[in-house]
Amino acid sequence: MSIKTANQTTLERLTEGQPVLVDCRPAAQAVGLAERTVLHAGPPLAWERACATVQSAICCAIRYEGWAPDDATAADLVQNGDVRIGPCHHQAAVGPMTGIVTPSMPVFVVENRVHGNRAHVTINEGLGKVLRFGANDDAVIERLRWLAREAGPILGAAIRTAGGIDLRALMAQALRMGDDMHQRNVAASALLARRLLGPLARTGADPGALGRVADFLGANDQFFLNLAMAAGKALTDPCRGMADSTLVVAMTRNGTDFGIRVAGLGDRWFTAPVEMPQGLYFPGFTAADANPDMGDSAIVETIGLGAFAMAASPSVVRFVGAGGFADAVR
Amino acid sequence: MSIKTANQTTLERLTEGQPVLVDCRPAAQAVGLAERTVLHAGPPLAWERACATVQSAICCAIRYEGWAPDDATAADLVQNGDVRIGPCHHQAAVGPMTGIVTPSMPVFVVENRVHGNRAHVTINEGLGKVLRFGANDDAVIERLRWLAREAGPILGAAIRTAGGIDLRALMAQALRMGDDMHQRNVAASALLARRLLGPLARTGADPGALGRVADFLGANDQFFLNLAMAAGKALTDPCRGMADSTLVVAMTRNGTDFGIRVAGLGDRWFTAPVEMPQGLYFPGFTAADANPDMGDSAIVETIGLGAFAMAASPSVVRFVGAGGFADAVR
């Protein structure tokens, strides 16, 4: 088959997909994630090559699961092979920033109704000290435990009650409301909250618990990002393995390497040292304080959103100062 | 005082306002609306001059209140003066289309925190057969009774729990998400739903009732319109009576007359025959089937939104085919 024909077929396969949010349940059940396994963002990564941020998040996740009482023991478990680490992308999952997933963490389940495959992603933790940025203390762990104990089960019940939520329609509407779907997800987050309002009410959960989950969902403008990522993963996975196609079907970073996968080249990763983003810093901080780029969130760009939709998102353009695809090429 | 100075002062008074949604409770309590009173949109209107649509809605409202068993008796009550009709605008209220308000109907209460005045508006009934379009049957009445019995009390409890919702901030955000705040309120409606998610959950209402209210709130893209109108009324009322100012502080229609009020001319109405809108019709219908314009919703234009913000709302412009203020002047 010619590359052009293969790419056309693969692009159709990508664009015909129908990502539907169908569930939220622990990764052990949803992904079949094995005990003593920690998933991370990006291409495969040996512990020794991981940056401090990713190592910190892995240790925190091991403490959260109760597999080790402290970071030193946690690091030993990984180095001895008693805890395995591996990419989210190898387990039909994606994760923002450090991208950590462990078996007890609740994950959203997004099903591609056209191809039958599923993709998974954790619940966005919100702002402040969070695991995805490598924070590692008791507050981080307490929030993760609350997500597993209270938020995950209630969200899962609501989503199942809703009979699935069509993410394609929701994302299309949100893009017309100024979201780019990576930096800005306020429209999608609000539309999702509105969509979940009735199903959440019908869970019959205790009003206090329901109130906490609702506040959490309602206060996070980036809540939808993780779902956009899972939608991206659900859409791109059926394109992997399409012979002769040069379409890039994954772009991701782990803080050390940037990796891509190409449709016609199956499960193979092509990696290079990850770049340092040209970003905006809080006052007093510079690139010297920063960590190289990380996270599976570039799956959003892989399906043509995020940076590629940024020109349609005036507030992002004004904040980040970037333009459209043509500017990126220049 | 010069007109220019008076207008500057009045405009400042308008734009410094802070509309906050503080409650939802029956009009009898919130507005002090007297028994056997029906409010309607627009300037004052004698029953004989009312169009069939407004007469139909008034009769339906009287039957809803149980003051008459049928339309003929209802019409007699109005003609005999046993039921009084009057403008919403005279009772610190506004209403969309026919704009009907009766004492048992729950109304949102919007307080202008800078000037201390309050404005009121009914809960948007959604689509289908609704009182605001003059529909008059048992389904309309059943929905109104459900709003009074279940939706109003739950929404009121949630809003009071929230400690008030800043409509100015919410409207500013929604305008940047493509709403014009008259034809299109999907962003504001979704942001409001998200804001009410936690407070609704905390009402402790029965899950079935909460689910019905949440579905109702979540499925109506124009839910916020009524609140934008109440915000407009809360902002403009403090400008009425500002000596020497020529600022228009109310524009409204009752299906027969178009009326305006001018800041420097107090409570006086200036009216003219209402125009027939140049609109889009469902297939098979033309202007010959239409009713002249009606509703207090032009209060949204009075504060510079709606038609005046339409140029910033691409989806409305594409649908209605209109442009900005300059086009309107042409």
Side-chain angles (χ1 to χ4, degrees):
Chain A
M1 198 186 296
S2 78
I3 288 175
K4 189 177 174 191
T5 308
N7 280 347
Q8 277 172 345
T9 306
T10 308
L11 190 61
E12 276 166 30
R13 206 169 163 81
L14 176 72
T15 55
E16 78 191 358
Q18 292 285 356
V20 178
L21 172 61
V22 295
D23 207 348
C24 181
R25 53 176 68 242
Q29 295 170 27
V31 189
L33 192 61
E35 271 299 291
R36 304 218 161 210
T37 306
V38 178
L39 302 183
H40 59 76
L45 180 67
W47 170 262
E48 298 72 23
R49 293 187 67 241
C51 64
T53 305
V54 168
Q55 287 187 344
S56 169
I58 290 173
C59 289
C60 187
I62 289 171
R63 294 200 299 119
Y64 153 74
E65 288 286 356
W67 300 334
D70 54 54
D71 287 356
T73 314
D76 282 347
L77 287 176
V78 178
Q79 287 173 296
N80 298 339
D82 292 325
V83 165
R84 284 172 306 279
I85 64 172
C88 292
H89 263 290
H90 289 188
Q91 303 256 4
V94 277
M97 304 304 293
T98 60
I100 303 298
V101 186
T102 59
S104 78
M105 289 183 189
V107 290
F108 288 117
V109 182
V110 174
E111 182 172 289
N112 186 331
R113 286 271 162 92
V114 172
H115 298 289
N117 62 300
R118 291 179 160 205
H120 309 84
V121 71
T122 49
I123 301 169
N124 190 292
E125 301 164 88
L127 291 173
K129 286 189 178 176
V130 286
L131 189 66
R132 72 176 184 282
F133 293 133
N136 177 358
D137 68 13
D138 290 347
V140 175
I141 290 175
E142 184 37 50
R143 192 183 318 201
L144 293 173
R145 293 206 169 124
W146 174 76
L147 285 169
R149 186 178 67 241
E150 193 164 89
I154 289 177
L155 287 168
I159 293 162
R160 292 188 296 272
T161 297
I165 293 170
D166 179 349
L167 297 184
R168 190 185 174 111
L170 194 152
M171 289 162 73
Q173 187 171 11
L175 286 163
R176 289 189 177 85
M177 293 166 77
D179 282 2
D180 74 320
M181 213 107 273
H182 192 162
Q183 298 285 332
R184 186 181 196 269
N185 283 283
V186 62
S189 298
L191 291 170
L192 178 71
R194 188 174 72 140
R195 180 67 184 80
L196 283 175
L197 202 62
L200 278 170
R202 288 205 177 74
T203 57
D206 160 74
L210 200 57
R212 285 187 289 275
V213 173
D215 284 348
F216 181 76
L217 176 59
N220 182 355
D221 285 354
Q222 282 289 72
F223 189 87
F224 192 81
L225 171 61
N226 294 31
L227 288 165
M229 291 170 57
K233 177 71 171 163
L235 288 169
T236 49
D237 264 358
C239 300
R240 191 153 35 90
M242 294 291 283
D244 301 327
S245 171
T246 58
L247 203 76
V248 172
V249 292
M251 300 193 287
T252 182
R253 314 80 91 195
N254 58 28
T256 302
D257 296 323
F258 189 108
I260 66 165
R261 279 169 152 180
V262 176
L265 298 168
D267 294 344
R268 189 169 161 197
W269 287 100
F270 297 84
T271 64
V274 73
E275 73 280 31
M276 179 71 79
Q278 291 178 21
L280 301 171
Y281 292 93
F282 286 115
F285 293 90
T286 69
D289 303 295
N291 198 90
D293 204 9
M294 65 175 66
D296 288 330
S297 57
I299 195 72
V300 173
E301 277 72 19
T302 312
I303 59 167
L305 303 180
F308 298 113
M310 197 157 76
S313 181
S315 58
V316 171
V317 170
R318 196 153 46 173
F319 185 68
V320 182
F325 179 62
D327 296 304
V329 172
R330 273 200 299 277
Chain B
M1 197 186 297
S2 78
I3 288 176
K4 188 177 173 190
T5 308
N7 281 347
Q8 278 173 344
T9 306
T10 308
L11 190 62
E12 276 166 29
R13 204 168 163 83
L14 176 72
T15 55
E16 78 191 358
Q18 292 285 354
V20 178
L21 172 62
V22 295
D23 207 348
C24 181
R25 53 176 67 243
Q29 295 170 26
V31 189
L33 192 60
E35 271 298 291
R36 304 217 160 210
T37 307
V38 178
L39 302 183
H40 59 75
L45 179 67
W47 170 262
E48 298 72 24
R49 293 188 67 240
C51 64
T53 305
V54 167
Q55 287 187 343
S56 169
I58 290 173
C59 289
C60 187
I62 289 171
R63 295 201 298 119
Y64 153 75
E65 288 286 356
W67 300 334
D70 54 53
D71 287 356
T73 316
D76 282 347
L77 287 175
V78 178
Q79 287 173 297
N80 298 339
D82 292 325
V83 166
R84 284 172 305 281
I85 64 173
C88 292
H89 263 290
H90 289 189
Q91 303 256 5
V94 277
M97 303 303 293
T98 60
I100 303 299
V101 186
T102 59
S104 78
M105 289 184 189
V107 290
F108 288 117
V109 183
V110 174
E111 182 173 289
N112 186 331
R113 285 271 162 92
V114 172
H115 298 289
N117 62 301
R118 291 179 161 205
H120 308 83
V121 71
T122 48
I123 301 169
N124 190 292
E125 301 164 88
L127 291 174
K129 286 188 178 176
V130 286
L131 189 67
R132 73 177 184 282
F133 293 133
N136 176 358
D137 68 12
D138 290 347
V140 175
I141 290 176
E142 184 36 51
R143 194 186 313 205
L144 293 173
R145 293 207 170 123
W146 174 76
L147 285 169
R149 185 178 67 241
E150 193 163 270
I154 289 177
L155 287 168
I159 293 162
R160 292 189 295 274
T161 298
I165 293 171
D166 179 349
L167 296 184
R168 190 185 174 112
L170 193 152
M171 289 162 73
Q173 187 171 10
L175 286 163
R176 290 189 177 85
M177 293 165 78
D179 282 2
D180 74 321
M181 213 107 272
H182 193 163
Q183 298 286 332
R184 187 182 196 269
N185 283 283
V186 62
S189 298
L191 291 170
L192 178 71
R194 188 173 72 140
R195 180 68 184 79
L196 283 175
L197 203 62
L200 278 171
R202 288 206 176 75
T203 57
D206 160 72
L210 200 57
R212 285 187 290 275
V213 173
D215 285 348
F216 181 76
L217 176 59
N220 182 355
D221 284 354
Q222 282 288 74
F223 189 87
F224 193 81
L225 171 61
N226 294 31
L227 288 165
M229 290 170 57
K233 177 71 171 162
L235 289 168
T236 49
D237 264 358
C239 300
R240 191 153 37 90
M242 294 291 284
D244 300 327
S245 170
T246 58
L247 203 75
V248 172
V249 292
M251 300 194 287
T252 181
R253 313 82 91 195
N254 58 27
T256 302
D257 296 323
F258 189 108
I260 66 165
R261 279 169 151 180
V262 176
L265 298 168
D267 294 343
R268 187 168 162 198
W269 287 101
F270 296 84
T271 63
V274 73
E275 73 279 31
M276 178 70 79
Q278 291 178 20
L280 301 171
Y281 292 93
F282 286 114
F285 293 90
T286 69
D289 304 295
N291 198 91
D293 205 8
M294 66 175 65
D296 288 330
S297 56
I299 195 72
V300 172
E301 277 72 20
T302 312
I303 59 167
L305 302 180
F308 298 113
M310 197 157 75
S313 181
S315 58
V316 171
V317 170
R318 197 152 46 171
F319 186 68
V320 182
F325 179 62
D327 296 303
V329 172
R330 272 200 300 277

